[in-house]
Amino acid sequence: MNQVLEFEKPVVNLKGKIEELKNISKDSEIDLTVEIETLERKLAKLELDIYSNLKPWDRVQVARHQMRPTTLDYIDHLFTDFLEFHGDRYYGDDEAIVAGIGFYHDQPVTIVGHQRGKKTKENIRRNFGMPHPEGYRKAIRHMKQAEKFNRPIVTFIDTKGAEPGREAEERGQSEAIAYNLKAMGGLKVPIICIVIGEGGSGGALALGVGDRIHMLENSTYSVISPEGAAALLWKDAGQAQRAAESMRITAPDLKEFAIIDEIISEPIGGAHRDVVEQAKRIDKVLQQSLTSLLPLSEEELLEQRWNKYAKMGEFTEVE
C-alpha cells in the first residue's frame, strides 16, 4: 500500500471519487464524462494549491517518503556502466554507502551516495541509510581514487545522520567524518553534491563538501533532525513540527542563506511520483555544473571552493 501523507489526504480522496465515477461509467450506460472532467480540473487545481504551498514539516515528510528515489535509483537513470566497489580496506563494507565509477555522458565520474531501503528488510540491511565509520572511509577512499585518475565526483546525500551507536563510536565515527570534511576540502577534482532526501547533521556533511551543492525541492538539510531539536529545546520530540519551522531547513531557506547553489524542482507530489522526470531535472543541473567546473585549473578550483565556504555564515565582533 502506498504511503499517504496527512496533507495529501484531500488529493487522495478526490482521486478516489474520480476513479469511482470512471468505474460506474464503465460498468453501465450512464455517461459521466462531464462530471469526471469537472473533478479532474478540480484535482489539478487542488494538487497545485497543496504542493505549491508546502510547510517545512510537510517537506520533511516528503523527504522521508518510503518510496522516495534513492542513490541507486538515480544511478540507474543518470549514469552508464556503473561499477560498484565495496569495503574500506580497514574494517569491512558498509551498505549504507554506495560508491563506484561510471560514465556520465561519456565522462568518467566517481559516484558516492547514502543508500537507504524502501522496505523493512532492505532498510535493516542498509541500516536505514545511517553509515558507520567504514562507510565514510569507503567514500573517501574512492574520492581519492577519483583525484588520482582525474575524475569528477558526484555525491548523493540522503541520511538522517551517521550511525550513533556505541560500536560506531568505538570504531572512530567522529574521526572518520572529520577526516572526510578535511580531505574533501582539498581534493583537486570537481565535486558536485546533491541532497536528494534528508541531509542530517555530520552524517550528511561527510559527503557534502563540494564545489556545487544542489538540493531537490522537497529535501531538507540540517544540523539535527526536527525531533532531536525539539527534544533538546523543549524536552518534547512531539514538537518536531514547531522545530522544523524554526530551524530553516528547507531548500528555499538554504538557498537564501547561500548554503546551496541551486534548487532542483520536483514533479507535483514529489520525486517519488516520477523518478524518470526527476532524473532529467537533476541531469540538467549536473551538466551545467560540470560545464562550469571542468575547465578550471586545480588552483582555480581550490580557490573557488575555499571562497565558497569562507563566505558562508555571519559573525559579529563584540568588544
Side-chain angles (χ1 to χ4, degrees):
M1 184 176 180
N2 291 334
Q3 179 185 6
V4 178
L5 304 177
E6 187 65 31
F7 66 88
E8 293 180 307
K9 288 183 178 179
V11 172
V12 174
N13 291 337
L14 188 53
K15 283 183 176 179
K17 291 179 181 178
I18 293 172
E19 192 62 30
E20 184 179 347
L21 289 182
K22 286 182 177 179
N23 290 333
I24 292 174
S25 183
K26 180 180 178 180
D27 297 336
S28 67
E29 296 181 358
I30 303 174
D31 186 2
L32 298 174
T33 302
V34 175
E35 289 80 1
I36 291 172
E37 289 178 349
T38 300
L39 287 181
E40 286 179 336
R41 287 194 295 271
K42 184 178 179 182
L43 174 63
K45 183 178 184 303
L46 180 63
E47 285 190 317
L48 187 61
D49 289 343
I50 289 177
Y51 293 115
S52 297
N53 297 284
L54 294 181
K55 297 178 180 178
W57 183 244
D58 297 332
R59 294 189 189 275
V60 170
Q61 300 306 302
V62 176
R64 293 175 175 175
H65 197 284
Q66 65 185 25
M67 296 309 295
R68 192 165 178 84
T70 65
T71 293
L72 286 175
D73 290 325
Y74 291 124
I75 286 174
D76 286 343
H77 288 90
L78 291 168
F79 307 97
T80 57
D81 298 321
F82 176 69
L83 177 63
E84 183 178 357
F85 296 115
H86 301 274
D88 67 342
R89 302 289 174 85
Y90 289 99
Y91 180 83
D93 188 41
D94 185 351
E95 293 194 69
I97 293 279
V98 168
I101 58 176
F103 287 92
Y104 176 72
H105 296 285
D106 297 324
Q107 166 71 52
V109 295
T110 288
I111 308 114
V112 180
H114 299 99
Q115 181 64 32
R116 58 179 177 80
K118 293 180 181 177
K119 296 183 179 180
T120 302
K121 186 178 291 187
E122 186 185 4
N123 257 321
I124 292 172
R125 180 164 66 90
R126 302 279 185 183
N127 197 37
F128 295 85
M130 298 186 295
H132 289 76
E134 51 269 24
Y136 294 117
R137 292 184 179 122
K138 173 171 68 172
I140 203 63
R141 178 167 81 88
H142 293 293
M143 291 184 199
K144 287 188 172 183
Q145 182 196 69
E147 181 182 48
K148 179 179 180 180
F149 292 101
N150 198 33
R151 290 193 298 263
I153 298 167
V154 180
T155 73
F156 293 100
I157 297 169
D158 184 15
T159 182
K160 295 179 183 295
E163 166 58 41
R166 176 179 172 179
E167 289 185 1
E169 294 297 340
E170 289 176 342
R171 296 202 294 272
Q173 184 72 289
S174 299
E175 185 275 338
I177 292 173
Y179 182 78
N180 276 31
L181 297 177
K182 177 184 176 181
M184 290 184 74
L187 291 175
K188 298 175 182 178
V189 291
I191 306 171
I192 302 167
C193 308
I194 305 172
V195 184
I196 59 174
E198 289 184 273
S201 192
L205 282 176
L207 301 187
V209 180
D211 302 292
R212 298 287 186 273
I213 305 173
H214 308 307
M215 279 183 73
L216 266 61
E217 179 183 356
N218 294 315
S219 294
T220 61
Y221 202 18
S222 61
V223 69
I224 191 172
S225 69
E227 291 87 350
L232 288 174
L233 293 173
W234 303 296
K235 310 300 180 186
D236 180 10
Q239 298 271 4
Q241 183 171 346
R242 177 184 173 190
E245 293 173 355
S246 63
M247 289 168 65
R248 308 291 298 275
I249 62 177
T250 66
D253 291 325
L254 294 163
K255 174 67 173 175
E256 179 184 338
F257 297 144
I259 302 296
I260 65 169
D261 296 287
E262 294 291 339
I263 299 173
I264 303 174
S265 64
E266 298 186 23
I268 290 180
H272 58 283
R273 291 282 187 90
D274 192 342
V275 64
V276 174
E277 174 59 28
Q278 187 63 69
K280 289 179 181 177
R281 299 183 186 193
I282 293 175
D283 181 42
K284 181 179 179 180
V285 174
L286 195 51
Q287 283 192 63
Q288 292 171 348
S289 296
L290 282 175
T291 299
S292 65
L293 293 171
L294 285 174
L296 299 178
S297 66
E298 292 180 358
E299 292 76 16
E300 290 172 329
L301 192 69
L302 291 176
E303 182 179 3
Q304 190 179 97
R305 192 181 303 159
W306 167 259
N307 290 334
K308 175 183 180 64
Y309 287 92
K311 292 177 182 176
M312 287 184 183
E314 298 178 0
F315 69 91
T316 303
E317 292 185 2
V318 180
E319 295 183 359

